Amino acid sequence: MDIEKFREHLLKNKMVEKRTEDYIEKLLEYQEYLEKQKQTIETVNVNELVNYTEFLVTQDKDSVLVFLRALLNYANFAKRNDFVEAALDIAESYNAMDNLYARIAEWHGEATRDEIFEGLTIPPLGIHPEKKPQFTKKVLKRVEEKLGEDKLIALLKPCLHEGLGGDMDKDRKDYHELGIDAFLEKKRQDRVKEFEKHRDDGTPAFAQIVDDDVVEYVKNNQTSGLGKREGNIIYVTKNPYQIKKLLETNDLRMKRFFACFCPWVRGAIKDGSEHEVSKHFCQCSGGWFKGYYEQLFEQPIKIEPYETALSGVPYCKFAVHLPEKVIIK
């Protein structure tokens, strides 16, 4: 690990000096940990990264996020896409249950929140992602028992983490100029171009390696991007979390596992216990799109899970019920 070149890289990219030194400190601590096991950051199996983050949880759990940010910066610098994938696997949606904890208190009061979470500890960032569904099963069951099915759905619908972003001013302008159908097709083609660029540049698309097979999958997904309209409904399908791995297995359960983005449920799909997770949990994933569409249309919309990895298929598809006065050309 060339620390000096990494430091130069961070400073050249306008990272403040203190954060630069914090990141280097975390990486040196990781290197020291690896050396005790006769490994280095260049030789370690990235699948063992979670062993270190779980170790950090026992030492100083507040340091895990800084370490993962440091590692992601190093991985981008060193072109270690395998570390990008491993780090994002641990970090994805890490604060979702903290947000549920806060939302219940805000909407239903702290006493109700405390009753629901009594005896439960939210899994911290850094633990193995496949351990998280055990918590999901328990807390969603308690929410539904205490508040009822409708209020559980309402809590999940806004999404429990950051939703879909983008250049909304430009997208709204394109939508008004093109109409909904041409706009959706443009966004689908934009998504294909994104994946083609990742393939050509050798960079990961979020947490996955992109090759010709992955690009072809995205091209053939007619409801990717922001979806495709059929009557008064837009059907939108997320491109899977790990397309290449999904394509390489014939096991439907593992295809579903690789399709799902959410660490709070993926492990349950893998071990066959997904029936213990509330069937409404994917309302959260629909909520990832909801805010975007509401800004685009400038009015409330309804979105529902249509078919998901949790429900039994190797993809996650949502139905966006269009509001009135959508521009159709």
Side-chain angles (χ1 to χ4, degrees), residues 30 33-34 37 39 44-53:
Y30 182 42
Y33 169 89
L34 292 174
Q37 302 177 49
Q39 298 186 86
V44 67
N45 184 332
V46 296
N47 293 325
E48 297 176 10
L49 175 63
V50 72
N51 296 339
Y52 180 64
T53 59

Side-chain angles (χ1 to χ4, degrees), residues 261-273:
F261 275 76
C262 184
W264 297 98
V265 69
R266 293 179 78 225
I269 294 173
K270 186 176 182 180
D271 69 23
S273 64

Side-chain angles (χ1 to χ4, degrees), residues 102-315:
R103 189 174 293 167
I104 291 173
E106 181 183 353
W107 292 12
H108 301 287
E110 292 183 2
T112 297
R113 186 266 322 272
D114 292 345
E115 181 180 343
I116 289 169
F117 280 82
E118 184 178 4
L120 297 179
T121 300
I122 297 174
L125 172 64
I127 74 157
H128 198 298
E130 291 177 26
K131 296 178 180 178
K132 292 182 176 182
Q134 291 303 319
F135 178 86
T136 309
K137 297 170 187 176
K138 293 175 183 176
V139 75
L140 296 186
K141 185 172 185 290
R142 288 189 183 186
V143 172
E144 186 165 351
E145 288 174 347
K146 177 66 178 177
L147 299 174
E149 186 176 27
D150 290 345
K151 289 181 179 177
L152 169 63
I153 292 171
L155 284 163
L156 296 172
K157 271 187 175 295
C159 193
L160 294 174
H161 53 89
E162 187 176 355
L164 175 62
D167 187 341
M168 185 50 63
D169 289 338
K170 181 180 184 305
D171 283 358
R172 196 180 291 117
K173 179 175 180 290
D174 288 345
Y175 159 59
H176 281 271
E177 289 179 354
L178 298 171
I180 186 59
D181 296 321
F183 171 73
L184 293 176
E185 178 58 20
K186 177 182 182 300
K187 296 300 287 186
R188 191 181 78 83
Q189 293 298 333
D190 287 348
R191 183 57 50 86
V192 172
K193 290 174 185 176
E194 286 176 19
F195 273 78
E196 288 176 332
K197 188 174 190 308
H198 283 300
R199 177 199 60 195
D200 297 343
D201 293 348
T203 54
F206 189 59
Q208 62 179 303
I209 306 303
V210 180
D211 63 8
D212 288 341
D213 292 335
V214 171
V215 170
E216 192 64 22
Y217 181 98
V218 175
K219 283 182 178 179
N220 291 332
N221 183 356
Q222 296 299 308
T223 53
S224 71
L226 289 174
K228 184 174 183 178
R229 183 178 69 90
E230 295 182 20
N232 292 324
I233 296 176
I234 293 173
Y235 291 101
V236 56
T237 306
K238 286 186 174 182
N239 287 309
Y241 180 61
Q242 293 285 349
I243 296 173
K244 186 66 175 178
K245 292 179 180 179
L246 180 150
L247 293 173
E248 289 176 340
T249 181
N250 292 319
D251 186 310
L252 176 59
R253 180 168 298 283
M254 290 307 297
K255 282 183 179 292
R256 292 165 56 206
F257 173 74
F258 292 129
C260 179
F261 275 76
C262 184
W264 297 98
V265 69
R266 293 179 78 225
I269 294 173
K270 186 176 182 180
D271 69 23
S273 64
E274 70 272 27
H275 61 281
E276 298 174 24
V277 178
S278 170
K279 64 182 180 181
H280 300 301
F281 190 55
C282 293
Q283 294 283 352
C284 173
S285 191
W288 187 78
F289 289 105
K290 189 174 189 292
Y292 176 90
Y293 284 112
E294 290 187 335
Q295 290 183 71
L296 181 71
F297 296 129
E298 299 180 275
Q299 52 187 313
I301 62 100
K302 177 183 176 183
I303 182 168
E304 298 287 344
Y306 185 73
E307 295 175 307
T308 69
L310 181 60
S311 69
V313 297
Y315 52 84

